[in-house]
Amino acid sequence: TGVQASVQDDAEDTLLNGAEREAAAVSEFVTDRESTASRLSSRDRGLVSLDPAGIRAELTESLDREPDVVTAIHYVNLAEGRIAVSTDPEAEGQSVSEDTRPWAVDPSIFGGPGDVRVFAPYEDRVTLDKRLGIASAVAGQEEYAVVIIVDIEARSELLVSPVEGGSINVISRETGSVVLADNPDTLLRTHSLTRELSFFSTTISESRVDDVTAETRRFDEENLVVATVPIDGVRWSVVTAAPRGTVYSTVQDVSRSLLLLIGVAVAGLIGLGLVITRDVNNSLDEMQEYAEEIESGNLDVEIDRSRIDEFGDLADLFVRIRDTLDDQLTEVQQRAQEAERAKDDAETAQAEARAAREEAERLSDHLERKAEQYLDGIERA
């Protein structure tokens, strides 16, 4: 459970770190474009003192130093609503209004010369291209502004989701619309999760990860993990979303691996226990057989002493017991034989003594008869 929680946190960190990297990249991109607009509109550049050809050359030189996603730089007369000079020949001289170009605002909206504003993205009604304008009021000629045009479809191609199968978008917190997206079809549309994530329309200062349940066209799964990171300098946020199963797939893999490891360990312990138990039981049976054979008097029993463990020591003990009993029985038998021989000798001596006594008795009787005979003779004599 602890490992699963740790891996889950790592998965969320991966999603959040990816969003933070994209937020930093977008912030740097916008800041660089703001710097270009501010530099061109500053008093040091002296656009006011240049004729249209000189302004065009200055703008073209700056455009060449910009990335490919910057499609044009305009010098716009905001008071008249007209593009005075542009790096795009077709755009030069066009009339513009705030309805079609969000950056075509009244000059009073700028706080002063060098003030840079990032305007809402829009769709060109003629070319249907999706663009973004970054404008700065020109110093010394405040009714004019330098406007940098960015192709947000081309810039969206640089977005990379940190999770395979996930989505990544840059959302305007003012309108909830998609400014940049890995899916061009969703550009300028309201993000599908603005209802579930109400903080899109508020100022957020910290990154966050949320679990959301919502039906979307992008994902088949309803349970989503969403990471949101605010972008410094603009009221935008990077939003990465991915199905919960995709984000936490590593968690599931690790959990399965751990369960498999635990299962293998338990099975191994059980198997080892069975092997040890069987070996111990077999050894105990052998020891019991040895003891029963010795108990029954079979001192010729063969005892296996090949083991080098405790059972081998026990087998050696049985061998010593067997040999000791054998020696003791041999000694007893010898003593019994000696006793038997002594008994035989005693019986033989007893028989000889009995025979000698009988012989003495016969001799005594003979002598008595002779004595009587001698006595009669003596008496007669």
Side-chain angles (χ1 to χ4, degrees):
T1 301
V3 171
Q4 184 175 3
S6 176
V7 176
Q8 181 171 327
D9 291 341
D10 290 343
E12 293 179 356
D13 290 343
T14 298
L15 192 67
L16 193 60
N17 292 338
E20 290 176 345
R21 286 194 299 270
E22 292 297 337
V26 172
S27 177
E28 181 181 2
F29 174 81
V30 173
T31 300
D32 290 345
R33 305 294 80 71
E34 289 176 337
S35 297
T36 299
S38 178
R39 178 177 55 81
L40 288 173
S41 64
S42 66
R43 190 177 302 277
D44 295 339
R45 303 302 298 179
L47 294 179
V48 177
S49 62
L50 298 177
D51 58 8
I55 294 174
R56 188 179 301 107
E58 188 73 22
L59 298 181
T60 301
E61 181 183 352
S62 296
L63 180 64
D64 291 339
R65 292 196 294 267
E66 293 295 301
D68 294 339
V69 297
V70 177
T71 59
I73 301 179
H74 302 324
Y75 185 71
V76 183
N77 187 330
L78 297 177
E80 298 179 359
R82 178 178 58 86
I83 300 177
V85 180
S86 175
T87 57
D88 181 6
E90 296 181 1
E92 193 167 299
Q94 287 183 358
S95 297
V96 292
S97 66
E98 192 173 353
D99 294 336
T100 58
R101 304 288 193 277
W103 45 262
V105 295
D106 189 272
S108 61
I109 197 173
F110 291 98
D115 182 24
V116 183
R117 298 292 180 90
V118 179
F119 294 89
Y122 61 93
E123 183 179 66
D124 191 307
R125 295 183 179 179
V126 178
T127 63
L128 302 181
D129 294 329
K130 297 176 176 61
R131 298 289 188 257
L132 172 72
I134 300 175
S136 177
V138 177
Q141 201 172 9
E142 283 75 15
E143 70 272 18
Y144 282 86
V146 172
V147 182
I148 296 178
I149 306 300
V150 177
D151 183 351
I152 58 177
E153 288 191 41
R155 181 58 184 80
S156 295
E157 294 177 357
L158 302 179
L159 295 177
V160 178
S161 174
V163 178
E164 185 177 355
S167 67
I168 182 168
N169 299 275
V170 175
I171 311 300
S172 171
R173 296 198 299 273
E174 294 178 342
T175 63
S177 61
V178 179
V179 179
L180 300 173
D182 55 357
N183 181 9
D185 295 338
T186 62
L187 286 172
L188 307 185
R189 296 181 181 179
T190 301
H191 194 274
S192 59
L193 297 178
T194 51
R195 181 181 304 175
E196 287 74 16
L197 302 177
S198 59
F199 58 81
F200 277 175
S201 60
T202 62
T203 299
I204 60 174
S205 58
E206 295 181 354
S207 304
R208 57 187 293 168
V209 177
D210 297 274
D211 290 328
V212 176
T213 301
E215 293 184 1
T216 60
R217 295 181 179 180
R218 181 68 180 272
F219 305 114
D220 296 332
E221 185 178 337
E222 295 183 358
N223 297 322
L224 307 176
V225 180
V226 182
T228 307
V229 178
I231 300 176
D232 295 335
V234 289
R235 289 181 57 83
W236 296 349
S237 296
V238 174
V239 179
T240 59
R244 184 178 180 85
T246 301
V247 175
Y248 299 142
S249 60
T250 303
V251 178
Q252 297 171 357
D253 293 341
V254 171
S255 298
R256 283 193 296 266
S257 298
L258 282 175
L259 289 175
L260 178 61
L261 178 61
I262 293 172
V264 170
V266 171
L269 288 174
I270 293 175
L272 181 61
L274 291 175
V275 170
I276 293 177
T277 302
R278 182 177 180 181
D279 180 68
V280 170
N281 289 337
N282 291 339
S283 298
L284 287 175
D285 291 340
E286 290 181 2
M287 297 300 110
Q288 184 177 0
E289 290 177 1
Y290 297 154
E292 290 176 350
E293 289 293 330
I294 294 174
E295 180 186 21
S296 65
N298 181 15
L299 300 182
D300 295 329
V301 59
E302 291 293 334
I303 299 177
D304 183 10
R305 296 188 297 173
S306 60
R307 298 185 60 142
I308 57 174
D309 54 6
E310 289 79 0
F311 287 107
D313 296 338
L314 186 58
D316 289 336
L317 179 59
F318 276 123
V319 169
R320 291 198 297 272
I321 293 174
R322 182 197 63 184
D323 294 342
T324 301
L325 288 176
D326 187 42
D327 293 341
Q328 291 176 348
L329 288 176
T330 300
E331 184 178 354
V332 169
Q333 289 174 355
Q334 290 176 352
R335 290 180 179 179
Q337 291 176 358
E338 292 176 356
E340 187 67 27
R341 286 195 297 270
K343 180 181 177 182
D344 293 341
D345 292 342
E347 290 178 352
T348 301
Q350 185 178 6
E352 291 177 352
R354 192 167 42 248
R357 186 181 61 185
E358 292 176 354
E359 181 66 25
E361 289 177 351
R362 289 195 300 272
L363 179 59
S364 178
D365 291 340
H366 175 71
L367 291 176
E368 286 181 358
R369 288 194 301 270
K370 289 295 184 180
E372 290 177 355
Q373 292 176 1
Y374 285 127
L375 182 57
D376 288 342
I378 292 173
E379 289 178 350
R380 283 192 305 270

